[in-house]
Amino acid sequence: MSTTTRHFTAEELFWMPEEDRRYELIEGVLTKMSPTGFEHGDVAQTVGSLLWQHVRAHQLGKVLAAETGFKLASDPDTVLAPDVSFIRQEELDRLGSTKKFWPGAPDLAVEVMSPGDTVRAAQEKAHLWLTHGARMVWVVNPTRRTISVFRPDAAVSVLTEGDALEGQEIVAGFRCTVSEIFG
């Protein structure tokens, strides 16, 4: 007996009713996203706020909220929505604006782990972002109070509370301590 999984498209996901849209799309398969807990929301907001203040002050591009979808692949479609993202001004100028999912990966994707997430799953998602063009991924682990920095063709850096988190050339000049994220 064979079973067939219906593949969805990014367009179908985009037009789903709001109450049905807490999904990501991985190779055409809908993956339900549960509401997050308080700690997750607090940490994601802190990262987003720190990035937003820096990016806005220096006119570096856009910092986007968790609901923002990025269409990474077609046929079958993949659409992911990180907890926080950043797109450089150069990319915004090159690609323009859209009301639908952003066509491609952000320059920086930030994923905040929820209590039920495994480190392995978070690493796999970081690598998925990198495979599809993200230039850097931060995986924030509130339980361990660490931030893992993923870059293409580079070893993963794991930062602890005494370390500085830097935007490197992706978010030029951005710097905060890891303890600020969890404070």
Side-chain angles (χ1 to χ4, degrees):
M1 174 192 256
S2 72
T3 60
T4 306
T5 301
R6 180 195 185 302
H7 283 156
F8 288 82
T9 65
E11 189 75 10
E12 289 172 309
L13 176 62
F14 185 80
W15 290 109
M16 280 185 178
E18 285 293 322
E19 62 271 9
D20 293 336
R21 287 186 61 202
R22 292 288 303 156
Y23 290 94
E24 288 183 316
L25 189 61
I26 300 175
E27 295 183 355
V29 178
L30 290 175
T31 303
K32 187 151 180 72
M33 297 171 59
S34 298
T36 63
F38 180 86
E39 180 182 54
H40 182 282
D42 181 46
V43 170
Q45 180 64 31
T46 299
V47 172
S49 294
L50 291 169
L51 274 172
W52 182 84
Q53 289 172 10
H54 178 80
V55 166
R56 186 169 175 104
H58 300 283
Q59 300 177 347
L60 298 175
K62 293 279 184 190
V63 174
L64 301 153
E67 297 83 21
T68 307
F70 292 85
K71 185 177 179 189
L72 304 180
S74 298
D75 298 323
D77 293 357
T78 294
V79 177
L80 298 181
D83 294 302
V84 179
S85 56
F86 166 72
I87 301 172
R88 291 176 301 122
Q89 188 60 51
E90 294 84 2
E91 283 298 293
L92 294 165
D93 293 342
R94 185 174 74 83
L95 295 172
S97 183
T98 180
K99 295 197 182 298
K100 294 188 177 182
F101 301 128
W102 182 258
D107 293 290
L108 169 66
V110 181
E111 296 286 355
V112 178
M113 293 177 64
S114 294
D117 293 340
T118 65
V119 171
R120 182 178 181 88
Q123 290 171 341
E124 288 173 0
K125 194 165 192 183
H127 288 294
L128 185 60
W129 280 114
L130 294 176
T131 298
H132 290 286
R135 298 175 65 207
M136 185 163 42
V137 179
W138 295 342
V139 174
V140 182
N141 186 330
T143 302
R144 293 185 180 175
R145 300 178 74 86
T146 61
I147 300 175
S148 298
V149 179
F150 293 79
R151 298 287 307 264
D153 304 321
V156 177
S157 299
V158 179
L159 308 175
T160 60
E161 288 190 85
D163 295 324
L165 175 63
E166 297 183 2
Q168 302 171 27
E169 77 280 0
I170 310 303
V171 187
F174 177 80
R175 187 178 199 281
C176 72
T177 61
V178 172
S179 60
E180 282 180 81
I181 304 292
F182 301 114

